[in-house]
Amino acid sequence: MSRRGRRGYPTSILIGLDEKAAHFWTIYSESVKPSKVITRIGNDEKSTYKFHEEIVESIRAMLLEGFTGVIITSEDRTQHTPRLMEHITKHHKWLKDRATIRQLAGRASTANEVTQLIRANKIQETVQEASEEAGEKLLNLLEKALRENNVLYTIEELSAALNAERKPIVVLITEEFDVRNRRNRRFQSLMQISRNLGASMTILKPTNAASVRLSQLGGFTCVISPKP
Protein backbone atom coordinates (compact mmCIF):
# COMPACT_ATOMS: atom_id res chain seq x y z
CA MET A 1 0.00 0.00 0.00
CA SER A 2 1.32 3.45 -0.82
CA ARG A 3 1.36 6.64 1.15
CA ARG A 4 -1.69 8.91 1.13
CA GLY A 5 -1.82 11.19 -1.88
CA ARG A 6 0.12 8.88 -4.22
CA ARG A 7 -2.05 6.97 -6.60
CA GLY A 8 -0.73 6.98 -10.17
CA TYR A 9 -2.74 5.81 -13.15
CA PRO A 10 -5.02 2.73 -13.34
CA THR A 11 -3.56 -0.66 -14.30
CA SER A 12 -5.62 -3.59 -12.97
CA ILE A 13 -8.67 -4.53 -10.92
CA LEU A 14 -8.09 -7.04 -8.12
CA ILE A 15 -11.08 -9.08 -6.97
CA GLY A 16 -10.79 -11.18 -3.82
CA LEU A 17 -13.48 -13.84 -3.67
CA ASP A 18 -14.57 -15.67 -0.53
CA GLU A 19 -17.73 -17.43 0.65
CA LYS A 20 -19.37 -14.14 1.66
CA ALA A 21 -18.41 -11.50 -0.89
CA ALA A 22 -16.32 -10.14 -3.75
CA HIS A 23 -13.81 -7.58 -2.50
CA PHE A 24 -12.71 -5.11 -5.17
CA TRP A 25 -9.33 -3.34 -5.11
CA THR A 26 -8.02 -0.89 -7.69
CA ILE A 27 -4.37 -1.26 -8.64
CA TYR A 28 -2.66 1.89 -9.85
CA SER A 29 0.91 2.44 -10.99
CA GLU A 30 1.88 3.65 -7.51
CA SER A 31 -0.76 2.25 -5.15
CA VAL A 32 -3.47 -0.27 -4.35
CA LYS A 33 -6.79 1.10 -3.07
CA PRO A 34 -9.93 -0.57 -1.69
CA SER A 35 -12.87 0.01 -4.01
CA LYS A 36 -16.11 -1.79 -3.18
CA VAL A 37 -17.56 -4.98 -1.73
CA ILE A 38 -20.33 -6.99 -3.37
CA THR A 39 -22.03 -9.22 -0.81
CA ARG A 40 -23.11 -12.72 -1.75
CA ILE A 41 -26.71 -13.47 -0.72
CA GLY A 42 -27.37 -17.21 -0.78
CA ASN A 43 -25.54 -20.04 -2.52
CA ASP A 44 -28.24 -21.42 -4.81
CA GLU A 45 -27.97 -21.19 -8.59
CA LYS A 46 -30.15 -18.08 -8.92
CA SER A 47 -28.34 -16.06 -6.24
CA THR A 48 -24.92 -17.13 -7.55
CA TYR A 49 -25.88 -15.97 -11.04
CA LYS A 50 -26.98 -12.61 -9.66
CA PHE A 51 -23.74 -12.33 -7.64
CA HIS A 52 -21.62 -12.99 -10.72
CA GLU A 53 -23.63 -10.53 -12.82
CA GLU A 54 -23.05 -7.79 -10.23
CA ILE A 55 -19.31 -8.49 -10.36
CA VAL A 56 -19.23 -8.26 -14.16
CA GLU A 57 -21.23 -5.04 -14.23
CA SER A 58 -18.84 -3.49 -11.71
CA ILE A 59 -15.88 -4.55 -13.86
CA ARG A 60 -17.59 -3.08 -16.94
CA ALA A 61 -17.92 0.32 -15.27
CA MET A 62 -14.34 0.30 -13.97
CA LEU A 63 -12.82 -0.55 -17.35
CA LEU A 64 -13.92 2.87 -18.57
CA GLU A 65 -11.51 4.40 -16.06
CA GLY A 66 -8.54 2.86 -17.88
CA PHE A 67 -7.98 -0.48 -16.16
CA THR A 68 -6.80 -3.12 -18.63
CA GLY A 69 -6.32 -6.13 -16.37
CA VAL A 70 -8.58 -8.11 -14.04
CA ILE A 71 -7.00 -10.31 -11.37
CA ILE A 72 -9.35 -12.77 -9.66
CA THR A 73 -8.08 -14.38 -6.49
CA SER A 74 -9.38 -16.99 -4.07
CA GLU A 75 -8.01 -19.89 -2.09
CA ASP A 76 -7.06 -23.00 -4.08
CA ARG A 77 -9.43 -25.33 -2.30
CA THR A 78 -12.50 -23.26 -3.21
CA GLN A 79 -14.41 -23.08 -6.47
CA HIS A 80 -15.08 -19.33 -6.30
CA THR A 81 -12.72 -18.35 -9.13
CA PRO A 82 -13.53 -21.27 -11.49
CA ARG A 83 -17.26 -20.60 -11.14
CA LEU A 84 -16.85 -16.89 -11.91
CA MET A 85 -14.62 -17.69 -14.89
CA GLU A 86 -17.21 -20.18 -16.15
CA HIS A 87 -19.89 -17.48 -15.87
CA ILE A 88 -17.75 -14.98 -17.81
CA THR A 89 -16.95 -17.52 -20.54
CA LYS A 90 -20.60 -18.48 -20.90
CA HIS A 91 -22.31 -15.09 -20.65
CA HIS A 92 -19.71 -12.34 -21.17
CA LYS A 93 -17.17 -13.32 -23.81
CA TRP A 94 -16.72 -9.61 -24.58
CA LEU A 95 -14.89 -9.21 -21.26
CA LYS A 96 -12.03 -11.49 -22.33
CA ASP A 97 -11.62 -9.37 -25.46
CA ARG A 98 -11.82 -6.09 -23.57
CA ALA A 99 -9.53 -6.95 -20.63
CA THR A 100 -6.79 -9.41 -19.72
CA ILE A 101 -8.00 -11.75 -16.98
CA ARG A 102 -5.59 -13.50 -14.64
CA GLN A 103 -6.24 -15.94 -11.78
CA LEU A 104 -4.24 -15.85 -8.56
CA ALA A 105 -4.28 -18.25 -5.62
CA GLY A 106 -4.63 -16.50 -2.28
CA ARG A 107 -6.88 -14.25 -0.24
CA ALA A 108 -7.60 -10.60 -0.92
CA SER A 109 -10.52 -9.81 1.37
CA THR A 110 -8.68 -7.45 3.73
CA ALA A 111 -5.93 -4.85 3.48
CA ASN A 112 -3.60 -7.14 5.41
CA GLU A 113 -4.17 -10.01 2.98
CA VAL A 114 -3.51 -7.74 -0.02
CA THR A 115 -0.35 -6.47 1.66
CA GLN A 116 0.83 -10.06 2.10
CA LEU A 117 0.30 -10.73 -1.61
CA ILE A 118 2.30 -7.59 -2.42
CA ARG A 119 5.13 -8.60 -0.10
CA ALA A 120 5.27 -11.99 -1.79
CA ASN A 121 5.44 -10.13 -5.13
CA LYS A 122 2.43 -12.10 -6.38
CA ILE A 123 0.36 -9.07 -7.36
CA GLN A 124 3.25 -7.30 -9.11
CA GLU A 125 4.10 -10.36 -11.19
CA THR A 126 0.48 -10.95 -12.16
CA VAL A 127 -0.07 -7.28 -13.05
CA GLN A 128 3.05 -7.38 -15.25
CA GLU A 129 1.81 -10.50 -17.06
CA ALA A 130 -1.61 -8.94 -17.58
CA SER A 131 -0.05 -5.69 -18.77
CA GLU A 132 2.08 -7.44 -21.38
CA GLU A 133 -0.88 -9.34 -22.78
CA ALA A 134 -3.06 -6.22 -22.73
CA GLY A 135 -0.33 -4.37 -24.63
CA GLU A 136 -0.44 -6.92 -27.42
CA LYS A 137 -4.24 -6.65 -27.64
CA LEU A 138 -4.10 -2.85 -27.72
CA LEU A 139 -1.38 -2.91 -30.37
CA ASN A 140 -3.52 -5.15 -32.58
CA LEU A 141 -6.50 -2.86 -32.04
CA LEU A 142 -4.43 0.21 -32.91
CA GLU A 143 -2.91 -1.31 -36.05
CA LYS A 144 -6.35 -2.37 -37.31
CA ALA A 145 -7.73 1.13 -36.70
CA LEU A 146 -4.71 2.64 -38.48
CA ARG A 147 -5.38 0.49 -41.55
CA GLU A 148 -9.00 1.63 -41.54
CA ASN A 149 -8.02 5.29 -41.02
CA ASN A 150 -10.00 5.55 -37.78
CA VAL A 151 -7.28 7.05 -35.58
CA LEU A 152 -6.82 10.58 -34.25
CA TYR A 153 -3.36 11.81 -33.25
CA THR A 154 -3.90 15.05 -31.34
CA ILE A 155 -6.13 16.61 -28.70
CA GLU A 156 -7.29 19.11 -31.32
CA GLU A 157 -8.45 16.32 -33.63
CA LEU A 158 -10.33 14.67 -30.78
CA SER A 159 -12.06 17.95 -29.93
CA ALA A 160 -13.16 18.39 -33.55
CA ALA A 161 -14.39 14.80 -33.73
CA LEU A 162 -16.48 15.23 -30.58
CA ASN A 163 -17.98 18.41 -32.00
CA ALA A 164 -18.88 16.39 -35.11
CA GLU A 165 -20.58 13.83 -32.82
CA ARG A 166 -18.16 11.01 -33.65
CA LYS A 167 -17.76 8.55 -30.81
CA PRO A 168 -14.32 7.82 -29.32
CA ILE A 169 -13.76 4.12 -28.59
CA VAL A 170 -10.30 3.81 -27.04
CA VAL A 171 -7.78 6.49 -26.02
CA LEU A 172 -4.17 5.32 -25.73
CA ILE A 173 -1.44 7.53 -24.33
CA THR A 174 2.13 6.97 -23.21
CA GLU A 175 3.22 7.53 -19.64
CA GLU A 176 5.36 10.46 -20.83
CA PHE A 177 2.39 12.11 -22.57
CA ASP A 178 0.29 11.71 -19.43
CA VAL A 179 2.95 13.41 -17.29
CA ARG A 180 3.16 16.35 -19.72
CA ASN A 181 -0.60 16.85 -19.88
CA ARG A 182 -1.72 15.89 -16.38
CA ARG A 183 -2.56 19.51 -15.53
CA ASN A 184 -3.91 20.43 -18.94
CA ARG A 185 -7.55 21.29 -18.20
CA ARG A 186 -8.64 21.00 -21.83
CA PHE A 187 -7.10 17.54 -22.13
CA GLN A 188 -8.70 16.37 -18.88
CA SER A 189 -12.07 17.75 -19.98
CA LEU A 190 -11.89 15.92 -23.32
CA MET A 191 -10.94 12.71 -21.54
CA GLN A 192 -13.93 13.02 -19.21
CA ILE A 193 -16.28 13.66 -22.13
CA SER A 194 -14.82 10.62 -23.93
CA ARG A 195 -15.30 8.41 -20.87
CA ASN A 196 -18.88 9.65 -20.53
CA LEU A 197 -19.43 8.47 -24.12
CA GLY A 198 -18.15 5.00 -23.23
CA ALA A 199 -14.52 5.27 -24.33
CA SER A 200 -11.74 3.68 -22.29
CA MET A 201 -8.49 5.52 -21.59
CA THR A 202 -5.28 3.54 -21.14
CA ILE A 203 -1.88 4.85 -20.09
CA LEU A 204 1.02 2.66 -21.22
CA LYS A 205 4.33 2.15 -19.44
CA PRO A 206 7.50 2.46 -21.57
CA THR A 207 7.96 -1.32 -21.23
CA ASN A 208 4.52 -2.08 -22.68
CA ALA A 209 4.49 -3.73 -26.10
CA ALA A 210 2.30 -0.97 -27.55
CA SER A 211 4.22 1.94 -26.01
CA VAL A 212 7.03 2.05 -28.62
CA ARG A 213 4.53 2.15 -31.49
CA LEU A 214 2.47 4.75 -29.67
CA SER A 215 5.54 6.94 -29.14
CA GLN A 216 6.18 6.81 -32.89
CA LEU A 217 2.73 8.32 -33.36
CA GLY A 218 3.34 11.17 -30.90
CA GLY A 219 2.30 9.54 -27.63
CA PHE A 220 -1.45 10.07 -28.09
CA THR A 221 -3.96 8.18 -30.22
CA CYS A 222 -7.72 7.86 -30.15
CA VAL A 223 -9.52 5.06 -31.96
CA ILE A 224 -12.64 6.76 -33.23
CA SER A 225 -15.89 5.45 -34.73
CA PRO A 226 -16.00 5.44 -38.55
CA LYS A 227 -17.53 8.42 -40.31
CA PRO A 228 -21.23 7.89 -41.05
Side-chain angles (χ1 to χ4, degrees), residues 1-2 14 27 31-33 104 111-125:
M1 301 293 191
S2 70
L14 173 65
I27 303 176
S31 63
V32 179
K33 304 285 187 182
L104 180 64
N112 183 59
E113 290 170 351
V114 173
T115 298
Q116 292 303 314
L117 290 175
I118 293 173
R119 287 177 177 170
N121 205 35
K122 290 185 176 181
I123 289 181
Q124 297 92 315
E125 290 178 353

Side-chain angles (χ1 to χ4, degrees), residues 68-92:
T68 57
V70 178
I71 302 171
I72 304 172
T73 180
S74 62
E75 292 183 297
D76 272 338
R77 66 175 182 270
T78 70
Q79 289 297 307
H80 302 317
T81 297
R83 286 173 181 169
L84 175 58
M85 289 301 301
E86 182 182 357
H87 181 87
I88 290 172
T89 300
K90 185 176 181 180
H91 301 287
H92 299 282

Side-chain angles (χ1 to χ4, degrees), residues 134-144 172 209-210 213-214:
E136 293 177 3
K137 289 182 179 180
L138 292 170
L139 187 57
N140 291 335
L141 172 68
L142 178 58
E143 294 296 348
K144 182 176 185 293
L172 302 175
R213 180 62 169 137
L214 194 55

Side-chain angles (χ1 to χ4, degrees), residues 51-165:
F51 177 60
H52 289 158
E53 281 293 292
E54 288 185 55
I55 291 173
V56 171
E57 287 308 306
S58 293
I59 294 172
R60 187 198 301 270
M62 295 170 76
L63 290 178
L64 296 179
E65 299 175 28
F67 296 97
T68 57
V70 178
I71 302 171
I72 304 172
T73 180
S74 62
E75 292 183 297
D76 272 338
R77 66 175 182 270
T78 70
Q79 289 297 307
H80 302 317
T81 297
R83 286 173 181 169
L84 175 58
M85 289 301 301
E86 182 182 357
H87 181 87
I88 290 172
T89 300
K90 185 176 181 180
H91 301 287
H92 299 282
K93 291 181 179 179
W94 63 268
L95 182 53
K96 290 186 175 182
D97 294 328
R98 183 75 178 274
T100 300
I101 303 176
R102 283 285 184 272
Q103 300 177 45
L104 180 64
R107 292 181 60 88
S109 301
T110 67
N112 183 59
E113 290 170 351
V114 173
T115 298
Q116 292 303 314
L117 290 175
I118 293 173
R119 287 177 177 170
N121 205 35
K122 290 185 176 181
I123 289 181
Q124 297 92 315
E125 290 178 353
T126 309
V127 168
Q128 180 63 28
E129 291 174 2
S131 177
E132 290 174 0
E133 184 175 331
E136 293 177 3
K137 289 182 179 180
L138 292 170
L139 187 57
N140 291 335
L141 172 68
L142 178 58
E143 294 296 348
K144 182 176 185 293
L146 286 168
R147 291 193 297 271
E148 297 173 351
N149 199 29
N150 292 325
V151 176
L152 308 177
Y153 304 95
T154 66
I155 298 173
E156 289 72 25
E157 287 180 336
L158 175 58
S159 179
L162 291 173
N163 288 334
E165 298 186 346

Side-chain angles (χ1 to χ4, degrees), residues 9 175-176 204-209 211-212:
Y9 53 82
E175 193 175 68
E176 180 183 0
L204 301 176
K205 286 180 174 290
T207 54
N208 194 291
S211 185
V212 174

